[in-house]
Amino acid sequence: CDIMTLGVPDGKFLEEIQAALPILAQNSNDNINNKRPIVVRFLIAKIPGFSLNCARVLRKLTRFLPDDANVQIWLGAWRRGVSWNHAKIIAVDGQYLWTGGHNFWDAHYLKGNPVHDLSLEMRGEVAHDGHYYANEQWKFIERVHSSWIQSFLDKYYPKCLPLPKQSRVSLKKWKKLSPNLYPP
């Protein structure tokens, strides 16, 4: 499952994700024939001037997930100069694709005077394109994250300040279920 959004989900959007992850874990445990973990990849924008603590966001998302859940969850964020992830996509198993303009923000979309955006759900082969697009974003994160400059910046440079270089990425994974540093 790939979930891409401009900002950190909040309110009802966050609650629904928190409720869905234990269901995914249970579905993975119920499938006796397949012990492979379910993989969920979240991509969020790293907007200049805004602090984004990926570890804190991942703790929020996985708050109700049992420690023994058979899932691998990755959270990444990136920007390059004045460009960053602006996609709003939920792609599931190459079968379902939800995409459009909606951010996962309660106050903007579910409260009084909501923003009017258009989103749509598609099924079938087109859903693979959502995963392909997410794969390209993850390749960028892996390429930049694996550089020694990025390692230095992650360790010693405040994440909310402008950078002396063009690209900035962050990456966290839930638990240590996967020996891989990067998601599949």
Side-chain angles (χ1 to χ4, degrees), residues 89-147:
I89 292 174
I90 300 174
V92 181
D93 297 335
Q95 296 178 23
Y96 303 96
L97 175 64
W98 175 91
T99 187
H102 287 88
N103 294 296
F104 304 148
W105 299 332
D106 208 337
H108 292 82
Y109 293 91
L110 301 178
K111 305 290 182 183
N113 197 21
V115 173
H116 297 285
D117 265 327
L118 178 66
S119 292
L120 59 130
E121 180 183 324
M122 296 173 270
R123 297 172 188 230
E125 290 185 36
V126 70
H128 284 283
D129 292 342
H131 294 296
Y132 294 144
Y133 182 75
N135 288 345
E136 293 303 311
Q137 304 300 306
W138 281 104
K139 286 177 189 175
F140 174 78
I141 286 176
E142 184 173 347
R143 187 173 62 251
V144 173
H145 189 265
S146 62
S147 73

Side-chain angles (χ1 to χ4, degrees), residues 22 29 34 40 54 119 131 133 149 156:
N29 290 338
N34 186 5
V40 181
C54 285
S119 292
H131 294 296
Y133 182 75
I149 294 171
Y156 301 108

Side-chain angles (χ1 to χ4, degrees), residues 25-132:
Q26 186 60 48
N27 289 347
S28 178
N29 290 338
D30 289 348
N31 187 349
I32 297 169
N33 298 326
N34 186 5
K35 287 298 178 188
R36 292 184 317 185
I38 292 175
V39 176
V40 181
R41 306 184 301 179
F42 289 93
L43 273 174
I44 298 174
K46 196 169 209 32
I47 301 170
F50 291 90
S51 179
L52 175 64
N53 183 322
C54 285
R56 186 179 310 133
V57 172
L58 195 55
R59 279 193 304 274
K60 275 186 182 180
L61 293 169
T62 59
R63 181 175 171 202
F64 302 113
L65 196 57
D67 286 340
D68 63 346
N70 189 27
V71 296
Q72 293 178 0
I73 301 175
W74 307 82
L75 187 133
W78 70 266
R79 78 171 176 253
R80 181 176 186 162
V82 294
S83 181
W84 49 83
N85 171 51
H86 198 86
K88 289 86 169 186
I89 292 174
I90 300 174
V92 181
D93 297 335
Q95 296 178 23
Y96 303 96
L97 175 64
W98 175 91
T99 187
H102 287 88
N103 294 296
F104 304 148
W105 299 332
D106 208 337
H108 292 82
Y109 293 91
L110 301 178
K111 305 290 182 183
N113 197 21
V115 173
H116 297 285
D117 265 327
L118 178 66
S119 292
L120 59 130
E121 180 183 324
M122 296 173 270
R123 297 172 188 230
E125 290 185 36
V126 70
H128 284 283
D129 292 342
H131 294 296
Y132 294 144

Side-chain angles (χ1 to χ4, degrees), residues 134-174:
N135 288 345
E136 293 303 311
Q137 304 300 306
W138 281 104
K139 286 177 189 175
F140 174 78
I141 286 176
E142 184 173 347
R143 187 173 62 251
V144 173
H145 189 265
S146 62
S147 73
W148 69 269
I149 294 171
Q150 181 68 39
S151 297
F152 176 83
L153 290 172
D154 281 347
K155 209 174 229 180
Y156 301 108
Y157 197 80
K159 292 181 178 14
C160 61
L161 293 179
L163 285 178
K165 67 178 239 136
Q166 286 291 314
S167 299
R168 183 79 184 241
V169 300
S170 296
L171 177 68
K172 287 290 177 196
K173 67 179 175 178
W174 183 72

